[in-house]
Amino acid sequence: MKFAVQVEDLKKIYHLKGETVYALRGVTFNVPEGDYVAIMGTSGSGKSTLLNLLGCLDRPSHGSILLGGSDTSKLSDDELSYLRASRVGIIFQAYNLIQQLTVLENIEVPLYYRGKVSPEDRRRCKELALMVGLQGRLDHRPMQLSGGQQQRVAVARSLINNPDYILADEPTGNLDSKTTEEILSLFERLNNEGRTIILVTHEDDVSEHARRVMRLSDGELAEDRLIVNRRSALATSAS
């Protein structure tokens, strides 16, 4: 079995105003390629900290993270940036779009980490925008879009470098129920195409779309279980 992510005894410690805060307390798990994992937990449980570490946005205080077999602890900052840009697609809860750029220009942003954007790259940006349902919005700027449309831009941007896996931090937290279902259906389609997805959520309805649920509590892995009756499987069989 090939693993997209291998985590061993992961710890993250912050020192804030003379106080020591243990965000993660020795978390260990593996994620096979093509898995779909929902990470759950209450506020302060460590789930967003874990996602930031998996996305190479921060470094652990202790332990190791292997992404596709690459030990991130042995990589320089530049090498981590390249790994993040080439193999990881990150979707933020707050979208993190650049307000001055259009939909297509926002989708292009990760391409600049590797240099010049080619006409073929721009064609793919448009294809991704259409794939996530942004027809008629390609020249719009973020302030002209709804929350659901902005999240679609963020999803398309996360796919532009054809990443091995997608990390999503509360991607439906700001969306209405209809748009939430549409975004989750898109995630399921991407997962069925072979993408590895790791999604942070506090909503049970969202986690039911995953294949596996990991629950954090006080920085520790309190639960790791497969979802036997995956909602998407039931919906498919019903149709």
Side-chain angles (χ1 to χ4, degrees):
M1 178 182 296
K2 297 182 67 175
F3 292 106
V5 180
Q6 295 168 273
V7 174
E8 180 69 30
D9 197 23
L10 196 65
K11 298 177 183 177
K12 183 62 181 180
I13 303 170
Y14 296 100
H15 300 284
L16 304 173
K17 297 181 180 179
E19 181 181 359
T20 301
V21 178
Y22 294 86
L24 294 173
R25 302 171 179 265
V27 174
T28 297
F29 64 87
N30 295 323
V31 177
E33 290 185 354
D35 206 354
Y36 185 169
V37 180
I39 300 176
M40 302 191 71
T42 59
S43 178
S45 62
K47 57 187 188 298
S48 290
T49 298
L50 176 58
L51 203 73
N52 285 339
L53 293 173
L54 295 178
C56 302
L57 298 172
D58 196 3
R59 290 183 181 269
S61 304
H62 178 81
S64 65
I65 302 173
L66 273 65
L67 301 180
S70 298
D71 188 343
T72 61
S73 67
K74 298 179 180 179
L75 301 181
S76 67
D77 288 343
D78 286 345
E79 289 171 331
L80 282 177
S81 294
Y82 178 79
L83 178 64
R84 183 170 61 247
S86 61
R87 306 195 69 177
V88 183
I90 303 177
I91 304 169
F92 300 94
Q93 181 180 8
Y95 320 131
N96 285 17
L97 303 181
I98 299 174
Q99 297 299 315
Q100 295 85 354
L101 301 184
T102 66
V103 164
L104 283 179
E105 290 168 342
N106 266 286
I107 296 172
E108 286 179 3
V109 166
L111 296 172
Y112 289 98
Y113 286 99
R114 70 181 194 194
K116 186 177 179 181
V117 179
S118 69
E120 176 64 20
D121 290 329
R122 290 200 163 91
R123 184 186 64 80
R124 176 164 164 74
C125 287
K126 185 174 182 179
E127 288 178 351
L128 287 172
L130 298 179
M131 184 190 79
V132 299
L134 289 169
Q135 296 88 338
R137 298 289 188 272
L138 305 186
D139 294 325
H140 285 55
R141 287 175 170 76
M143 292 300 292
Q144 299 172 296
L145 304 175
S146 68
Q149 289 168 338
Q150 290 186 63
Q151 191 61 290
R152 293 171 191 271
V153 178
V155 171
R157 180 184 59 191
S158 76
L159 297 173
I160 189 59
N161 278 326
N162 197 28
D164 295 325
Y165 51 91
I166 299 168
L167 306 179
D169 191 1
E170 298 280 7
T172 61
N174 298 322
L175 307 180
D176 59 61
S177 58
K178 180 177 183 296
T179 307
T180 291
E181 287 297 326
E182 291 173 351
I183 293 295
L184 292 174
S185 293
L186 176 59
F187 283 172
E188 289 178 22
R189 176 152 57 93
L190 293 170
N191 179 241
N192 290 335
E193 292 172 357
R195 310 274 184 178
T196 303
I197 297 178
I198 302 176
L199 176 151
V200 161
T201 183
H202 65 276
E203 301 176 79
D204 289 329
D205 287 349
V206 172
S207 71
E208 289 175 5
H209 288 259
R211 302 176 185 274
R212 174 182 173 193
V213 171
M214 297 193 303
R215 192 178 299 273
L216 294 178
S217 178
D218 295 327
E220 297 181 337
L221 186 58
E223 180 184 25
D224 187 352
R225 63 181 174 85
L226 297 176
I227 296 181
V228 177
N229 297 314
R230 188 187 185 197
R231 179 191 290 191
S232 58
L234 291 177
T236 301
S237 63
S239 62

